[in-house]
Amino acid sequence: MTAQFDFVIVGAGSAGCVLANRLSEDPANRVLLLEAGERDSHPMVAMPVAWFPVSNLPELGWGYATEPESATGDRVLPQPRGKLLGGTSSINGMLYSRGNAGDYDRWRDLGLPGWGYADVLPYFKRSESNWRGAGAYHGGTGYLSVSRQPAHPTITPRMLEAGRKLGYAALDDFHGEQAEGFGLPDFTIRRGRRDSTAAAYLRPALSRKNLTVVTGAHTTRVLLEGVRATGVEYLKDGQTHVARAASEVLIAGGAFNSPQLLMLSGIGPADELRKLGIAVRHDLPGVGKNLQDHPLVAGVFEAAVDTTFDRALRLDRLAVSALRWRLNGGGPLAANPMSVQAFVRTRPELQWPDAQFQVSHVSMMARPWFPGWRAGAGHQFTAAMLNVRPGCSGDVTLRSADPLAAPRIRLGLLATEADRRTARDMLKFLRTFFATAPVAGMVKAELAPGAAVRSDAELDAYIKATIQTGMHPTSSCAMGVGEYAVVDAQLRVRGLEGLRVVDASVMPDIVSGNTNAPTIMIAEKASDMILRRAPLLPEAVSTAAAPRSTAAMPRQEAAA
């Protein structure tokens, strides 16, 4: 039950699939990729429009949820994480976002050389095959397909016009010189099908004889000899297996599973481990701390137009669309029905946008329907705003010493007055936007929070009862130089040898946007570190860290 490799990668998700590809490019490297889930063959995984129901399918996820917290009404918040090849990149919303250039310069200034925006941009470019082609901001030949979002012919132009009336520029690219404004995001879709890291990176490498992929393999601990990681133990089909790593063990389980595995291996806060009867192998107090995510508030509006995505869900149309998508990847099922996106500032003095705004011309409760038989919610707009610069943080801790037990997850949402204020301001912006012509003409009524919710106290109550997150957990094994840093700038676990963490958990703090593309970038950069290759040369480009729009995010009262 023991096998020998050069590199053992734990987790075949957004980072793990990238590592498996890059490390196995050299046929001399024997690479093992372990995934607790199974293959990504579920028929709905590849269909872009099905991402929301897919993200909640129990057979494709870990089934994690948060602990009840008083600030969020003691609710238990589901935390979908993919448990299959591709990990969460196989169940997410596919939106491609890097965050703000200033995020990475801040990492650099925290004492992490090589992580400034000029340093990471070449790795973003290396990873992608962007629909725009190669240029100063994008790559044209990478593994990951980054596609253009189709605009809704009538809804999107009206929403861009409303953005202009509120003082924001219309952007063709959120990753160019300017990041603040309204536009359409890019998506990781290839010819109408989801381009997860399993599809983009792993499948091209599966024929390599030096790459071994084992699914249904639940890693239970990292093996240590003194201060060196020498391999892992994992369970498969009820039996314990050992995989030895002659060079390095690479943990790529994500912001929940990576700290969990370290702690199960005796690497973490010593006092917490002893209370659970786990032998302390290496006292590292920051493991599981500093967990961050993007707080999300939402509004729902009844549409006064019948051109929303609900039209495509009529059963006869849906059947034709499904056939069309299966044959050539075309039609309405080949895209995420998003109407517009924006990055805006809640206060004019902020250096760059702190809120991400998204509108979809579909209800989250939408269902197939037919005349005379209605399921779902009808024509609606769903709007979400994310606080992309939150001040709150939580932690990941062990529930027990049982490696099959889910970890405890605390998000710490709404812990600061600043975050509570931002949540209120974001809801006010939703109302301002939908009250602005020509969008106002497409709306019949506000369904949530609802017209009766007006005062700050009422908004606070609504937020407490409904706040969610963007499902972008990061930073629980943060890189840095202080006492609570878990990995160094080379992503090596501090104080140990032959062990790195490579995933979203190493972010010193959360980026100002979706986290999948940055996680892929981290893995691309890590592969050069692991193989002792010279890093790609920095590329300095013009970016706007300072405000560019004509007005900060307007308040609802100002538009009344």
PDB file of all heavy atoms in Angstrom, residues 98-108 114-125 136-138 174-177 538-543:
ATOM      1  N   ARG A  98      -9.569  39.043 -11.485  1.00  0.00           N
ATOM      2  CA  ARG A  98      -8.255  38.978 -10.843  1.00  0.00           C
ATOM      3  C   ARG A  98      -8.179  39.779  -9.559  1.00  0.00           C
ATOM      4  O   ARG A  98      -7.197  39.663  -8.824  1.00  0.00           O
ATOM      5  CB  ARG A  98      -7.189  39.524 -11.801  1.00  0.00           C
ATOM      6  CG  ARG A  98      -7.060  38.762 -13.096  1.00  0.00           C
ATOM      7  CD  ARG A  98      -6.075  39.476 -14.005  1.00  0.00           C
ATOM      8  NE  ARG A  98      -5.917  38.796 -15.291  1.00  0.00           N
ATOM      9  CZ  ARG A  98      -5.238  39.312 -16.307  1.00  0.00           C
ATOM     10  NH1 ARG A  98      -4.651  40.495 -16.181  1.00  0.00           N
ATOM     11  NH2 ARG A  98      -5.139  38.643 -17.436  1.00  0.00           N
ATOM     12  N   GLY A  99      -9.169  40.623  -9.282  1.00  0.00           N
ATOM     13  CA  GLY A  99      -9.017  41.583  -8.220  1.00  0.00           C
ATOM     14  C   GLY A  99      -8.346  42.843  -8.746  1.00  0.00           C
ATOM     15  O   GLY A  99      -8.187  43.036  -9.953  1.00  0.00           O
ATOM     16  N   ASN A 100      -7.946  43.700  -7.831  1.00  0.00           N
ATOM     17  CA  ASN A 100      -7.351  44.968  -8.196  1.00  0.00           C
ATOM     18  C   ASN A 100      -5.828  44.866  -8.164  1.00  0.00           C
ATOM     19  O   ASN A 100      -5.263  44.131  -7.347  1.00  0.00           O
ATOM     20  CB  ASN A 100      -7.818  46.050  -7.214  1.00  0.00           C
ATOM     21  CG  ASN A 100      -7.500  47.451  -7.672  1.00  0.00           C
ATOM     22  OD1 ASN A 100      -6.361  47.890  -7.600  1.00  0.00           O
ATOM     23  ND2 ASN A 100      -8.519  48.162  -8.141  1.00  0.00           N
ATOM     24  N   ALA A 101      -5.158  45.603  -9.040  1.00  0.00           N
ATOM     25  CA  ALA A 101      -3.693  45.603  -9.045  1.00  0.00           C
ATOM     26  C   ALA A 101      -3.137  45.982  -7.679  1.00  0.00           C
ATOM     27  O   ALA A 101      -2.099  45.457  -7.240  1.00  0.00           O
ATOM     28  CB  ALA A 101      -3.185  46.574 -10.112  1.00  0.00           C
ATOM     29  N   GLY A 102      -3.824  46.874  -6.978  1.00  0.00           N
ATOM     30  CA  GLY A 102      -3.365  47.294  -5.659  1.00  0.00           C
ATOM     31  C   GLY A 102      -3.345  46.180  -4.638  1.00  0.00           C
ATOM     32  O   GLY A 102      -2.590  46.238  -3.657  1.00  0.00           O
ATOM     33  N   ASP A 103      -4.183  45.138  -4.816  1.00  0.00           N
ATOM     34  CA  ASP A 103      -4.170  44.002  -3.892  1.00  0.00           C
ATOM     35  C   ASP A 103      -2.775  43.378  -3.823  1.00  0.00           C
ATOM     36  O   ASP A 103      -2.261  43.087  -2.740  1.00  0.00           O
ATOM     37  CB  ASP A 103      -5.164  42.929  -4.342  1.00  0.00           C
ATOM     38  CG  ASP A 103      -6.602  43.382  -4.284  1.00  0.00           C
ATOM     39  OD1 ASP A 103      -6.945  44.168  -3.384  1.00  0.00           O
ATOM     40  OD2 ASP A 103      -7.391  42.949  -5.153  1.00  0.00           O
ATOM     41  N   TYR A 104      -2.190  43.172  -4.972  1.00  0.00           N
ATOM     42  CA  TYR A 104      -0.913  42.470  -5.047  1.00  0.00           C
ATOM     43  C   TYR A 104       0.244  43.369  -4.626  1.00  0.00           C
ATOM     44  O   TYR A 104       1.198  42.895  -3.986  1.00  0.00           O
ATOM     45  CB  TYR A 104      -0.724  41.914  -6.458  1.00  0.00           C
ATOM     46  CG  TYR A 104      -1.882  41.031  -6.848  1.00  0.00           C
ATOM     47  CD1 TYR A 104      -2.930  41.522  -7.630  1.00  0.00           C
ATOM     48  CD2 TYR A 104      -1.981  39.734  -6.365  1.00  0.00           C
ATOM     49  CE1 TYR A 104      -4.027  40.731  -7.944  1.00  0.00           C
ATOM     50  CE2 TYR A 104      -3.074  38.932  -6.669  1.00  0.00           C
ATOM     51  CZ  TYR A 104      -4.097  39.437  -7.456  1.00  0.00           C
ATOM     52  OH  TYR A 104      -5.181  38.654  -7.754  1.00  0.00           O
ATOM     53  N   ASP A 105       0.151  44.648  -4.930  1.00  0.00           N
ATOM     54  CA  ASP A 105       1.174  45.571  -4.435  1.00  0.00           C
ATOM     55  C   ASP A 105       1.130  45.634  -2.906  1.00  0.00           C
ATOM     56  O   ASP A 105       2.174  45.784  -2.257  1.00  0.00           O
ATOM     57  CB  ASP A 105       0.973  46.957  -5.035  1.00  0.00           C
ATOM     58  CG  ASP A 105       1.312  46.999  -6.522  1.00  0.00           C
ATOM     59  OD1 ASP A 105       2.015  46.078  -7.005  1.00  0.00           O
ATOM     60  OD2 ASP A 105       0.863  47.936  -7.213  1.00  0.00           O
ATOM     61  N   ARG A 106      -0.056  45.505  -2.337  1.00  0.00           N
ATOM     62  CA  ARG A 106      -0.162  45.464  -0.878  1.00  0.00           C
ATOM     63  C   ARG A 106       0.505  44.203  -0.335  1.00  0.00           C
ATOM     64  O   ARG A 106       1.195  44.243   0.684  1.00  0.00           O
ATOM     65  CB  ARG A 106      -1.628  45.532  -0.459  1.00  0.00           C
ATOM     66  CG  ARG A 106      -1.840  45.633   1.043  1.00  0.00           C
ATOM     67  CD  ARG A 106      -3.308  45.762   1.401  1.00  0.00           C
ATOM     68  NE  ARG A 106      -4.083  44.595   0.987  1.00  0.00           N
ATOM     69  CZ  ARG A 106      -4.939  44.598  -0.033  1.00  0.00           C
ATOM     70  NH1 ARG A 106      -5.119  45.691  -0.749  1.00  0.00           N
ATOM     71  NH2 ARG A 106      -5.612  43.503  -0.350  1.00  0.00           N
ATOM     72  N   TRP A 107       0.315  43.060  -1.007  1.00  0.00           N
ATOM     73  CA  TRP A 107       1.006  41.836  -0.585  1.00  0.00           C
ATOM     74  C   TRP A 107       2.521  42.051  -0.584  1.00  0.00           C
ATOM     75  O   TRP A 107       3.208  41.688   0.372  1.00  0.00           O
ATOM     76  CB  TRP A 107       0.666  40.693  -1.535  1.00  0.00           C
ATOM     77  CG  TRP A 107      -0.742  40.200  -1.475  1.00  0.00           C
ATOM     78  CD1 TRP A 107      -1.771  40.710  -0.733  1.00  0.00           C
ATOM     79  CD2 TRP A 107      -1.284  39.084  -2.180  1.00  0.00           C
ATOM     80  NE1 TRP A 107      -2.915  39.982  -0.954  1.00  0.00           N
ATOM     81  CE2 TRP A 107      -2.654  38.982  -1.824  1.00  0.00           C
ATOM     82  CE3 TRP A 107      -0.745  38.166  -3.078  1.00  0.00           C
ATOM     83  CZ2 TRP A 107      -3.475  37.983  -2.350  1.00  0.00           C
ATOM     84  CZ3 TRP A 107      -1.564  37.173  -3.606  1.00  0.00           C
ATOM     85  CH2 TRP A 107      -2.918  37.084  -3.246  1.00  0.00           C
ATOM     86  N   ARG A 108       3.010  42.626  -1.649  1.00  0.00           N
ATOM     87  CA  ARG A 108       4.452  42.901  -1.753  1.00  0.00           C
ATOM     88  C   ARG A 108       4.906  43.770  -0.590  1.00  0.00           C
ATOM     89  O   ARG A 108       5.952  43.507   0.027  1.00  0.00           O
ATOM     90  CB  ARG A 108       4.736  43.583  -3.081  1.00  0.00           C
ATOM     91  CG  ARG A 108       6.180  44.014  -3.296  1.00  0.00           C
ATOM     92  CD  ARG A 108       6.242  45.096  -4.367  1.00  0.00           C
ATOM     93  NE  ARG A 108       5.473  46.294  -3.980  1.00  0.00           N
ATOM     94  CZ  ARG A 108       4.936  47.159  -4.839  1.00  0.00           C
ATOM     95  NH1 ARG A 108       5.052  46.973  -6.142  1.00  0.00           N
ATOM     96  NH2 ARG A 108       4.279  48.220  -4.391  1.00  0.00           N
ATOM     97  N   GLY A 114       8.198  39.576  -4.807  1.00  0.00           N
ATOM     98  CA  GLY A 114       7.760  38.732  -5.908  1.00  0.00           C
ATOM     99  C   GLY A 114       6.263  38.609  -6.056  1.00  0.00           C
ATOM    100  O   GLY A 114       5.787  37.909  -6.958  1.00  0.00           O
ATOM    101  N   TRP A 115       5.492  39.292  -5.194  1.00  0.00           N
ATOM    102  CA  TRP A 115       4.037  39.178  -5.248  1.00  0.00           C
ATOM    103  C   TRP A 115       3.354  40.494  -5.603  1.00  0.00           C
ATOM    104  O   TRP A 115       2.137  40.630  -5.458  1.00  0.00           O
ATOM    105  CB  TRP A 115       3.490  38.627  -3.923  1.00  0.00           C
ATOM    106  CG  TRP A 115       3.823  37.189  -3.742  1.00  0.00           C
ATOM    107  CD1 TRP A 115       4.847  36.661  -3.016  1.00  0.00           C
ATOM    108  CD2 TRP A 115       3.147  36.070  -4.333  1.00  0.00           C
ATOM    109  NE1 TRP A 115       4.855  35.285  -3.101  1.00  0.00           N
ATOM    110  CE2 TRP A 115       3.826  34.892  -3.898  1.00  0.00           C
ATOM    111  CE3 TRP A 115       2.040  35.929  -5.168  1.00  0.00           C
ATOM    112  CZ2 TRP A 115       3.423  33.617  -4.295  1.00  0.00           C
ATOM    113  CZ3 TRP A 115       1.640  34.663  -5.556  1.00  0.00           C
ATOM    114  CH2 TRP A 115       2.329  33.523  -5.116  1.00  0.00           C
ATOM    115  N   GLY A 116       4.111  41.511  -6.069  1.00  0.00           N
ATOM    116  CA  GLY A 116       3.491  42.723  -6.561  1.00  0.00           C
ATOM    117  C   GLY A 116       2.773  42.468  -7.872  1.00  0.00           C
ATOM    118  O   GLY A 116       2.959  41.428  -8.529  1.00  0.00           O
ATOM    119  N   TYR A 117       1.949  43.419  -8.295  1.00  0.00           N
ATOM    120  CA  TYR A 117       1.167  43.202  -9.511  1.00  0.00           C
ATOM    121  C   TYR A 117       2.054  42.981 -10.730  1.00  0.00           C
ATOM    122  O   TYR A 117       1.745  42.133 -11.577  1.00  0.00           O
ATOM    123  CB  TYR A 117       0.213  44.373  -9.762  1.00  0.00           C
ATOM    124  CG  TYR A 117      -0.721  44.110 -10.926  1.00  0.00           C
ATOM    125  CD1 TYR A 117      -1.681  43.109 -10.842  1.00  0.00           C
ATOM    126  CD2 TYR A 117      -0.631  44.845 -12.097  1.00  0.00           C
ATOM    127  CE1 TYR A 117      -2.538  42.847 -11.909  1.00  0.00           C
ATOM    128  CE2 TYR A 117      -1.488  44.598 -13.169  1.00  0.00           C
ATOM    129  CZ  TYR A 117      -2.431  43.598 -13.072  1.00  0.00           C
ATOM    130  OH  TYR A 117      -3.266  43.341 -14.130  1.00  0.00           O
ATOM    131  N   ALA A 118       3.133  43.706 -10.838  1.00  0.00           N
ATOM    132  CA  ALA A 118       4.039  43.503 -11.973  1.00  0.00           C
ATOM    133  C   ALA A 118       4.623  42.104 -11.971  1.00  0.00           C
ATOM    134  O   ALA A 118       4.949  41.550 -13.035  1.00  0.00           O
ATOM    135  CB  ALA A 118       5.163  44.548 -11.934  1.00  0.00           C
ATOM    136  N   ASP A 119       4.755  41.497 -10.778  1.00  0.00           N
ATOM    137  CA  ASP A 119       5.309  40.145 -10.667  1.00  0.00           C
ATOM    138  C   ASP A 119       4.289  39.072 -11.018  1.00  0.00           C
ATOM    139  O   ASP A 119       4.649  38.036 -11.603  1.00  0.00           O
ATOM    140  CB  ASP A 119       5.814  39.898  -9.242  1.00  0.00           C
ATOM    141  CG  ASP A 119       6.850  40.917  -8.798  1.00  0.00           C
ATOM    142  OD1 ASP A 119       7.911  40.982  -9.437  1.00  0.00           O
ATOM    143  OD2 ASP A 119       6.583  41.650  -7.831  1.00  0.00           O
ATOM    144  N   VAL A 120       3.030  39.297 -10.654  1.00  0.00           N
ATOM    145  CA  VAL A 120       2.031  38.245 -10.868  1.00  0.00           C
ATOM    146  C   VAL A 120       1.353  38.351 -12.226  1.00  0.00           C
ATOM    147  O   VAL A 120       0.812  37.354 -12.726  1.00  0.00           O
ATOM    148  CB  VAL A 120       0.978  38.248  -9.733  1.00  0.00           C
ATOM    149  CG1 VAL A 120       1.645  38.058  -8.385  1.00  0.00           C
ATOM    150  CG2 VAL A 120       0.112  39.503  -9.757  1.00  0.00           C
ATOM    151  N   LEU A 121       1.357  39.538 -12.828  1.00  0.00           N
ATOM    152  CA  LEU A 121       0.710  39.696 -14.134  1.00  0.00           C
ATOM    153  C   LEU A 121       1.213  38.685 -15.166  1.00  0.00           C
ATOM    154  O   LEU A 121       0.397  38.099 -15.901  1.00  0.00           O
ATOM    155  CB  LEU A 121       0.891  41.123 -14.643  1.00  0.00           C
ATOM    156  CG  LEU A 121       0.323  41.417 -16.038  1.00  0.00           C
ATOM    157  CD1 LEU A 121      -1.178  41.150 -16.094  1.00  0.00           C
ATOM    158  CD2 LEU A 121       0.628  42.861 -16.456  1.00  0.00           C
ATOM    159  N   PRO A 122       2.528  38.419 -15.268  1.00  0.00           N
ATOM    160  CA  PRO A 122       2.974  37.430 -16.261  1.00  0.00           C
ATOM    161  C   PRO A 122       2.370  36.041 -16.033  1.00  0.00           C
ATOM    162  O   PRO A 122       2.176  35.290 -16.997  1.00  0.00           O
ATOM    163  CB  PRO A 122       4.492  37.411 -16.077  1.00  0.00           C
ATOM    164  CG  PRO A 122       4.823  38.716 -15.450  1.00  0.00           C
ATOM    165  CD  PRO A 122       3.661  39.061 -14.582  1.00  0.00           C
ATOM    166  N   TYR A 123       2.062  35.711 -14.790  1.00  0.00           N
ATOM    167  CA  TYR A 123       1.476  34.394 -14.520  1.00  0.00           C
ATOM    168  C   TYR A 123      -0.020  34.374 -14.827  1.00  0.00           C
ATOM    169  O   TYR A 123      -0.548  33.340 -15.269  1.00  0.00           O
ATOM    170  CB  TYR A 123       1.765  33.986 -13.069  1.00  0.00           C
ATOM    171  CG  TYR A 123       3.221  33.653 -12.877  1.00  0.00           C
ATOM    172  CD1 TYR A 123       4.105  34.580 -12.340  1.00  0.00           C
ATOM    173  CD2 TYR A 123       3.725  32.419 -13.290  1.00  0.00           C
ATOM    174  CE1 TYR A 123       5.449  34.281 -12.189  1.00  0.00           C
ATOM    175  CE2 TYR A 123       5.064  32.110 -13.140  1.00  0.00           C
ATOM    176  CZ  TYR A 123       5.924  33.044 -12.602  1.00  0.00           C
ATOM    177  OH  TYR A 123       7.251  32.743 -12.472  1.00  0.00           O
ATOM    178  N   PHE A 124      -0.707  35.481 -14.600  1.00  0.00           N
ATOM    179  CA  PHE A 124      -2.087  35.566 -15.088  1.00  0.00           C
ATOM    180  C   PHE A 124      -2.105  35.382 -16.606  1.00  0.00           C
ATOM    181  O   PHE A 124      -2.934  34.629 -17.150  1.00  0.00           O
ATOM    182  CB  PHE A 124      -2.692  36.930 -14.739  1.00  0.00           C
ATOM    183  CG  PHE A 124      -3.238  37.043 -13.348  1.00  0.00           C
ATOM    184  CD1 PHE A 124      -2.703  37.956 -12.444  1.00  0.00           C
ATOM    185  CD2 PHE A 124      -4.301  36.255 -12.933  1.00  0.00           C
ATOM    186  CE1 PHE A 124      -3.218  38.082 -11.163  1.00  0.00           C
ATOM    187  CE2 PHE A 124      -4.820  36.368 -11.648  1.00  0.00           C
ATOM    188  CZ  PHE A 124      -4.273  37.288 -10.763  1.00  0.00           C
ATOM    189  N   LYS A 125      -1.197  36.042 -17.277  1.00  0.00           N
ATOM    190  CA  LYS A 125      -1.161  35.963 -18.736  1.00  0.00           C
ATOM    191  C   LYS A 125      -0.765  34.568 -19.209  1.00  0.00           C
ATOM    192  O   LYS A 125      -1.319  34.060 -20.200  1.00  0.00           O
ATOM    193  CB  LYS A 125      -0.195  37.013 -19.283  1.00  0.00           C
ATOM    194  CG  LYS A 125      -0.683  38.447 -19.085  1.00  0.00           C
ATOM    195  CD  LYS A 125       0.374  39.485 -19.428  1.00  0.00           C
ATOM    196  CE  LYS A 125       0.735  39.464 -20.900  1.00  0.00           C
ATOM    197  NZ  LYS A 125       1.660  40.569 -21.243  1.00  0.00           N
ATOM    198  N   ALA A 136      -0.915  43.542 -23.566  1.00  0.00           N
ATOM    199  CA  ALA A 136      -0.262  44.014 -22.352  1.00  0.00           C
ATOM    200  C   ALA A 136      -0.897  43.441 -21.096  1.00  0.00           C
ATOM    201  O   ALA A 136      -0.214  43.212 -20.090  1.00  0.00           O
ATOM    202  CB  ALA A 136      -0.309  45.546 -22.304  1.00  0.00           C
ATOM    203  N   TYR A 137      -2.213  43.180 -21.132  1.00  0.00           N
ATOM    204  CA  TYR A 137      -2.923  42.749 -19.939  1.00  0.00           C
ATOM    205  C   TYR A 137      -3.382  41.290 -20.000  1.00  0.00           C
ATOM    206  O   TYR A 137      -3.827  40.757 -18.986  1.00  0.00           O
ATOM    207  CB  TYR A 137      -4.151  43.641 -19.715  1.00  0.00           C
ATOM    208  CG  TYR A 137      -3.818  45.099 -19.513  1.00  0.00           C
ATOM    209  CD1 TYR A 137      -3.835  45.990 -20.587  1.00  0.00           C
ATOM    210  CD2 TYR A 137      -3.488  45.583 -18.253  1.00  0.00           C
ATOM    211  CE1 TYR A 137      -3.530  47.342 -20.402  1.00  0.00           C
ATOM    212  CE2 TYR A 137      -3.186  46.929 -18.059  1.00  0.00           C
ATOM    213  CZ  TYR A 137      -3.204  47.803 -19.133  1.00  0.00           C
ATOM    214  OH  TYR A 137      -2.896  49.126 -18.953  1.00  0.00           O
ATOM    215  N   HIS A 138      -3.291  40.659 -21.160  1.00  0.00           N
ATOM    216  CA  HIS A 138      -3.868  39.328 -21.311  1.00  0.00           C
ATOM    217  C   HIS A 138      -2.953  38.395 -22.105  1.00  0.00           C
ATOM    218  O   HIS A 138      -2.134  38.844 -22.911  1.00  0.00           O
ATOM    219  CB  HIS A 138      -5.232  39.409 -22.015  1.00  0.00           C
ATOM    220  CG  HIS A 138      -6.270  40.106 -21.207  1.00  0.00           C
ATOM    221  ND1 HIS A 138      -6.851  39.539 -20.109  1.00  0.00           N
ATOM    222  CD2 HIS A 138      -6.813  41.348 -21.325  1.00  0.00           C
ATOM    223  CE1 HIS A 138      -7.726  40.386 -19.585  1.00  0.00           C
ATOM    224  NE2 HIS A 138      -7.710  41.497 -20.303  1.00  0.00           N
ATOM    225  N   PHE A 174     -12.297  44.740 -17.342  1.00  0.00           N
ATOM    226  CA  PHE A 174     -12.051  45.059 -15.941  1.00  0.00           C
ATOM    227  C   PHE A 174     -10.598  44.841 -15.540  1.00  0.00           C
ATOM    228  O   PHE A 174     -10.223  45.134 -14.404  1.00  0.00           O
ATOM    229  CB  PHE A 174     -12.970  44.223 -15.044  1.00  0.00           C
ATOM    230  CG  PHE A 174     -14.409  44.654 -15.068  1.00  0.00           C
ATOM    231  CD1 PHE A 174     -15.352  43.928 -15.778  1.00  0.00           C
ATOM    232  CD2 PHE A 174     -14.820  45.793 -14.403  1.00  0.00           C
ATOM    233  CE1 PHE A 174     -16.682  44.327 -15.805  1.00  0.00           C
ATOM    234  CE2 PHE A 174     -16.143  46.202 -14.421  1.00  0.00           C
ATOM    235  CZ  PHE A 174     -17.080  45.469 -15.122  1.00  0.00           C
ATOM    236  N   HIS A 175      -9.789  44.317 -16.447  1.00  0.00           N
ATOM    237  CA  HIS A 175      -8.382  44.031 -16.138  1.00  0.00           C
ATOM    238  C   HIS A 175      -7.437  44.883 -16.968  1.00  0.00           C
ATOM    239  O   HIS A 175      -6.267  44.535 -17.125  1.00  0.00           O
ATOM    240  CB  HIS A 175      -8.094  42.541 -16.345  1.00  0.00           C
ATOM    241  CG  HIS A 175      -9.009  41.664 -15.553  1.00  0.00           C
ATOM    242  ND1 HIS A 175      -9.983  40.880 -16.133  1.00  0.00           N
ATOM    243  CD2 HIS A 175      -9.135  41.496 -14.216  1.00  0.00           C
ATOM    244  CE1 HIS A 175     -10.644  40.254 -15.183  1.00  0.00           C
ATOM    245  NE2 HIS A 175     -10.163  40.610 -14.019  1.00  0.00           N
ATOM    246  N   GLY A 176      -7.937  45.979 -17.475  1.00  0.00           N
ATOM    247  CA  GLY A 176      -7.103  46.899 -18.221  1.00  0.00           C
ATOM    248  C   GLY A 176      -6.605  48.028 -17.331  1.00  0.00           C
ATOM    249  O   GLY A 176      -6.383  47.847 -16.126  1.00  0.00           O
ATOM    250  N   GLU A 177      -6.470  49.185 -17.914  1.00  0.00           N
ATOM    251  CA  GLU A 177      -5.928  50.321 -17.162  1.00  0.00           C
ATOM    252  C   GLU A 177      -6.865  50.769 -16.055  1.00  0.00           C
ATOM    253  O   GLU A 177      -6.438  51.177 -14.987  1.00  0.00           O
ATOM    254  CB  GLU A 177      -5.652  51.486 -18.114  1.00  0.00           C
ATOM    255  CG  GLU A 177      -5.054  52.706 -17.420  1.00  0.00           C
ATOM    256  CD  GLU A 177      -4.694  53.816 -18.382  1.00  0.00           C
ATOM    257  OE1 GLU A 177      -4.840  53.613 -19.608  1.00  0.00           O
ATOM    258  OE2 GLU A 177      -4.265  54.878 -17.916  1.00  0.00           O
ATOM    259  N   PRO A 538       9.043  40.543 -14.376  1.00  0.00           N
ATOM    260  CA  PRO A 538       7.923  41.449 -14.081  1.00  0.00           C
ATOM    261  C   PRO A 538       7.528  42.264 -15.303  1.00  0.00           C
ATOM    262  O   PRO A 538       8.354  42.567 -16.165  1.00  0.00           O
ATOM    263  CB  PRO A 538       8.486  42.352 -12.972  1.00  0.00           C
ATOM    264  CG  PRO A 538       9.618  41.571 -12.377  1.00  0.00           C
ATOM    265  CD  PRO A 538      10.201  40.774 -13.506  1.00  0.00           C
ATOM    266  N   GLU A 539       6.237  42.596 -15.366  1.00  0.00           N
ATOM    267  CA  GLU A 539       5.712  43.412 -16.460  1.00  0.00           C
ATOM    268  C   GLU A 539       4.960  44.594 -15.861  1.00  0.00           C
ATOM    269  O   GLU A 539       3.900  44.427 -15.273  1.00  0.00           O
ATOM    270  CB  GLU A 539       4.771  42.600 -17.352  1.00  0.00           C
ATOM    271  CG  GLU A 539       5.444  41.428 -18.056  1.00  0.00           C
ATOM    272  CD  GLU A 539       4.497  40.684 -18.981  1.00  0.00           C
ATOM    273  OE1 GLU A 539       3.512  41.307 -19.433  1.00  0.00           O
ATOM    274  OE2 GLU A 539       4.719  39.494 -19.232  1.00  0.00           O
ATOM    275  N   ALA A 540       5.519  45.775 -16.016  1.00  0.00           N
ATOM    276  CA  ALA A 540       4.863  46.977 -15.501  1.00  0.00           C
ATOM    277  C   ALA A 540       3.869  47.495 -16.538  1.00  0.00           C
ATOM    278  O   ALA A 540       4.219  47.702 -17.699  1.00  0.00           O
ATOM    279  CB  ALA A 540       5.901  48.045 -15.183  1.00  0.00           C
ATOM    280  N   VAL A 541       2.627  47.666 -16.112  1.00  0.00           N
ATOM    281  CA  VAL A 541       1.591  48.215 -16.989  1.00  0.00           C
ATOM    282  C   VAL A 541       0.892  49.341 -16.252  1.00  0.00           C
ATOM    283  O   VAL A 541       0.981  49.471 -15.030  1.00  0.00           O
ATOM    284  CB  VAL A 541       0.561  47.146 -17.413  1.00  0.00           C
ATOM    285  CG1 VAL A 541       1.197  46.072 -18.266  1.00  0.00           C
ATOM    286  CG2 VAL A 541      -0.108  46.523 -16.187  1.00  0.00           C
ATOM    287  N   SER A 542       0.176  50.136 -16.987  1.00  0.00           N
ATOM    288  CA  SER A 542      -0.567  51.242 -16.392  1.00  0.00           C
ATOM    289  C   SER A 542      -1.872  50.728 -15.801  1.00  0.00           C
ATOM    290  O   SER A 542      -2.661  50.076 -16.484  1.00  0.00           O
ATOM    291  CB  SER A 542      -0.852  52.309 -17.449  1.00  0.00           C
ATOM    292  OG  SER A 542      -1.640  53.347 -16.918  1.00  0.00           O
ATOM    293  N   THR A 543      -2.075  50.965 -14.517  1.00  0.00           N
ATOM    294  CA  THR A 543      -3.333  50.618 -13.865  1.00  0.00           C
ATOM    295  C   THR A 543      -3.770  51.774 -12.996  1.00  0.00           C
ATOM    296  O   THR A 543      -2.962  52.574 -12.544  1.00  0.00           O
ATOM    297  CB  THR A 543      -3.193  49.362 -12.978  1.00  0.00           C
ATOM    298  OG1 THR A 543      -2.186  49.607 -11.983  1.00  0.00           O
ATOM    299  CG2 THR A 543      -2.827  48.152 -13.803  1.00  0.00           C
TER     300      THR A 543
END
